[in-house]
Amino acid sequence: MKKLINDPEHVVNESIEGFAAAHTDRVTAHYDPTWVVRNDAPVPGKVGIVSGGGSGHEPLHAGFIGPGMLDAACPGEVFTSPVPDQMQPATKAVDGGAGVLHIVKNYTGDVANFEMAAELAEAEGTRVRSVVLDDDVAVQDSSFTAGRRGVGGTVLAEKILGAAADKGYDLDQCADLLQRVNNQVRSMGMALTPCTVPQAGEPTFQLEDNEMEIGIGIHGEPGRERLPLESADEITQRLVNAVVEDLPFRRGDDVLLFVNGMGGTPLMELYIVYRAAERLLADHGITVTRNLVGDYITSLEMAGASVTLLKMDDELTQLWDAPVNTPGLRWGM
Amino acid sequence: MKKLINDPEHVVNESIEGFAAAHTDRVTAHYDPTWVVRNDAPVPGKVGIVSGGGSGHEPLHAGFIGPGMLDAACPGEVFTSPVPDQMQPATKAVDGGAGVLHIVKNYTGDVANFEMAAELAEAEGTRVRSVVLDDDVAVQDSSFTAGRRGVGGTVLAEKILGAAADKGYDLDQCADLLQRVNNQVRSMGMALTPCTVPQAGEPTFQLEDNEMEIGIGIHGEPGRERLPLESADEITQRLVNAVVEDLPFRRGDDVLLFVNGMGGTPLMELYIVYRAAERLLADHGITVTRNLVGDYITSLEMAGASVTLLKMDDELTQLWDAPVNTPGLRWGM
């Protein structure tokens, strides 16, 4: 295991310490239990937006804290759900009187712990709504999941919900919107190489020199199939077709195309995937009206990529375009 | 070699095609010779800012095209200098009557080719000034270089010069400012793993499982020394101390601290390096007033990091903070 770390037991807190030091103008970190919150929380009258999950997917989630996106995030240990003790103070801290929305990726631990945190927060007088995201079309159940996994759609959902809360959507409107985003977003990923959890010290799985895993999970969970390595165009076709057929996306649809790197893939390669994906979508009669290309929901140093499509309309486009100011995603301010 | 590519011979153009398709609102690409230019070039009365170099360092340089940064970029083949045939039309296209500044990293091919392009452009009536950046303190000469290599300081220089040109600095003022930035910026990097140039198909060098290369170049050129793997804090101390001692940076200095990922390093690890670097600088009496953390000048999928320090003053701070709108660096618009 070759990593730029000190003690494997302390990677999350040390990383959050560095993150908070670099972005002290925006965020404050609390430790043990560990959670990160925007400096000006709570924003009076605004719905608070909280997310969280296992670490190792950076910049998700803490990297998306700031005006126009998340109010707080709870980082678990690497690839491990955070616990209610982290979510409860984060939820309370961002309640500006309009309640708090929990954006939860569908993993068994995350779902159970966010549920418990919501109950604890409600008992203290904070109204909470939760929506579970499950946009990964690869497999129905998985190592850490009953049902589909929550993956790249989460990044888009956090941006859109942050904008909605800024625009004055109330808690129920936010929850309805988040459910609608989840209903019309689909993703699938693939891996060329595994990754190594620092505390484990060994790769999460093995791939031969000529193999790839199609439908990989963001923790290295098995996907749909292990196949001989193909060209970028062929791989992209597998991902795009699986995503398009699932919703299904239809001729005439406008979409946001999100090509995400898993952490160890050169940006140059992500643009080769983007090129292929946009062309394939054009063949399907689907128009890419917005896009995002880069490492936004990663799996440590895994080499690979995922494709996410979100069906767009005027409301989602306006919310996507709204200003955002976070370490990981920023425009307009 | 496991990569998301099609034909190794076409990675640069295919990647640029994807890049131009994703950012069609901002940039236009030309092919064979290949160069990329902002859509609204030339900006009348503004000094044009052009850079370029071998590909494989994305988002550098094309990813920094847009308002507030570069007007055009010339991508060479992977780790190979672009040629004057690319630089000449790019230079001409961005001359809005105030001349064009070439930002050149110190590699033998880049320097010679930009010199020839400047002569060709001058012969056609475009005034050109060039400054060669050589901020890497690791080694005096190297595989591709007489003198020091140009590395991370280039990212900061491109941002600052883009802002200066927007503010109305004339060509000589831009060249003087770029020289001043180069005079007060220093960098050093390290690698945990090598990277593979697609056309070569084999790693650029070999490192044992317990080895790292301190002072690595961005093409995998040898650094200062190959050592047994150390902790992130120890590695950061090597990088920071080498950089601080070189200028030297002094007690009381304000600096921009840039922790850059080489392409295959998780963001989590870059923040662990940032944490250590900021603390070491505090021990030196040096204050970090601005920072940048992420993958901005990469070496394909190499795992590793570099540390860049730029001595700041009011002018550089204002220019750094000015709005920028590029695919790779964006704020304020």
Side-chain angles (χ1 to χ4, degrees), chain A residues 45-90:
Chain A
K46 186 183 87 69
V47 171
I49 312 283
V50 174
S51 192
S55 291
H57 308 300
E58 289 69 26
L60 187 84
H61 297 273
F64 299 137
I65 297 175
M69 215 160 164
L70 299 180
D71 293 280
C74 307
E77 290 301 311
V78 176
F79 294 177
T80 304
S81 174
V83 294
D85 277 358
Q86 299 170 259
M87 298 157 182
Q88 190 188 5

Side-chain angles (χ1 to χ4, degrees), chain B residues 166-292:
Chain B
D166 271 357
K167 278 190 193 293
Y169 283 48
D170 70 22
L171 183 58
D172 290 331
Q173 289 171 324
C174 281
D176 291 349
L177 175 65
L178 183 51
Q179 190 58 59
R180 188 161 79 80
V181 169
N182 190 52
N183 291 347
Q184 57 200 62
V185 67
R186 295 292 185 275
S187 301
M188 195 157 95
M190 61 79 56
L192 295 171
T193 68
C195 58
T196 298
V197 175
Q199 288 177 292
E202 297 292 331
T204 49
F205 60 100
Q206 297 290 345
L207 281 173
E208 298 298 322
D209 279 353
N210 65 339
E211 279 184 337
M212 62 178 178
E213 178 88 17
I214 295 285
I216 193 82
I218 56 172
H219 314 94
E221 311 96 294
R224 285 189 177 183
E225 46 190 343
R226 188 162 292 195
L227 295 173
L229 187 59
E230 296 176 332
S231 73
D233 285 359
E234 290 164 331
I235 291 167
T236 305
Q237 187 161 19
R238 288 183 186 276
L239 301 182
V240 167
N241 285 352
V243 165
V244 166
E245 286 162 13
D246 189 87
L247 190 65
F249 293 87
R250 297 178 193 283
R251 185 166 293 276
D253 280 352
D254 290 336
V255 297
L256 188 159
L257 167 56
F258 170 29
V259 174
N260 174 64
M262 292 296 193
T265 301
L267 187 55
M268 171 178 252
E269 297 178 25
L270 297 184
Y271 279 114
I272 291 175
V273 171
Y274 182 88
R275 168 184 178 272
E278 201 192 78
R279 291 175 181 200
L280 287 163
L281 290 169
D283 292 343
H284 284 287
I286 296 166
T287 304
V288 177
T289 58
R290 292 292 183 277
N291 65 68
L292 185 67

Side-chain angles (χ1 to χ4, degrees), chain A residues 2-310:
Chain A
K2 298 180 93 168
K3 289 180 180 289
L4 285 168
I5 62 173
N6 297 302
D7 184 341
E9 301 293 324
H10 298 142
V11 291
V12 172
N13 272 7
E14 288 188 1
S15 169
I16 293 289
E17 284 173 10
F19 176 80
H23 306 295
T24 184
D25 54 325
R26 286 197 193 82
V27 302
T28 301
H30 300 263
Y31 300 95
D32 305 317
T34 300
W35 52 286
V36 189
V37 63
R38 60 189 272 187
N39 289 334
D40 57 349
V43 180
K46 186 183 87 69
V47 171
I49 312 283
V50 174
S51 192
S55 291
H57 308 300
E58 289 69 26
L60 187 84
H61 297 273
F64 299 137
I65 297 175
M69 215 160 164
L70 299 180
D71 293 280
C74 307
E77 290 301 311
V78 176
F79 294 177
T80 304
S81 174
V83 294
D85 277 358
Q86 299 170 259
M87 298 157 182
Q88 190 188 5
T91 301
K92 191 170 176 181
V94 306
D95 182 10
V100 176
L101 181 72
H102 285 175
I103 301 180
V104 184
K105 301 198 299 305
N106 189 33
Y107 299 97
T108 309
D110 294 52
V111 172
N113 288 323
F114 266 109
E115 260 178 32
M116 194 176 304
E119 286 171 18
L120 293 167
E122 296 258 4
E124 284 187 329
T126 294
R127 199 171 158 234
V128 177
R129 292 282 308 268
S130 294
V131 174
V132 177
L133 301 182
D134 58 354
D135 55 307
D136 187 346
V137 308
V139 292
Q140 189 53 37
D141 298 306
S142 181
S143 327
F144 303 110
T145 325
R148 289 179 164 188
R149 303 174 296 220
V151 290
T154 314
V155 176
L156 311 184
E158 293 182 356
K159 167 67 185 81
I160 287 167
L161 268 294
D166 271 359
K167 278 191 193 289
Y169 283 47
D170 70 23
L171 183 58
D172 290 331
Q173 288 171 325
C174 282
D176 291 348
L177 174 66
L178 183 50
Q179 189 59 58
R180 188 160 79 81
V181 169
N182 189 53
N183 291 347
Q184 57 199 62
V185 67
R186 295 292 185 276
S187 301
M188 195 158 94
M190 61 79 56
L192 295 170
T193 69
C195 59
T196 298
V197 175
Q199 288 176 292
E202 298 292 333
T204 48
F205 61 101
Q206 297 290 344
L207 280 174
E208 298 299 323
D209 279 353
N210 64 340
E211 279 183 337
M212 61 178 178
E213 178 90 16
I214 295 285
I216 193 84
I218 57 171
H219 313 93
E221 311 97 297
R224 284 190 178 184
E225 45 190 344
R226 188 162 294 194
L227 295 173
L229 186 59
E230 296 176 333
S231 73
D233 285 358
E234 290 165 329
I235 292 167
T236 305
Q237 187 161 17
R238 288 183 186 276
L239 301 182
V240 167
N241 285 352
V243 165
V244 166
E245 287 162 12
D246 189 88
L247 189 64
F249 293 88
R250 296 179 193 281
R251 186 165 292 275
D253 280 353
D254 290 336
V255 297
L256 188 159
L257 167 57
F258 171 29
V259 174
N260 174 64
M262 292 296 193
T265 301
L267 186 55
M268 172 178 251
E269 298 178 24
L270 298 184
Y271 279 115
I272 291 176
V273 171
Y274 181 88
R275 168 184 178 272
E278 202 193 77
R279 291 175 181 202
L280 287 164
L281 290 169
D283 292 342
H284 284 286
I286 297 166
T287 305
V288 176
T289 57
R290 293 293 184 275
N291 66 68
L292 185 67
V293 183
D295 287 6
Y296 294 96
I297 172 171
T298 60
S299 301
L300 297 168
E301 71 279 7
M302 185 187 286
S306 62
V307 169
T308 296
L309 289 183
L310 171 63

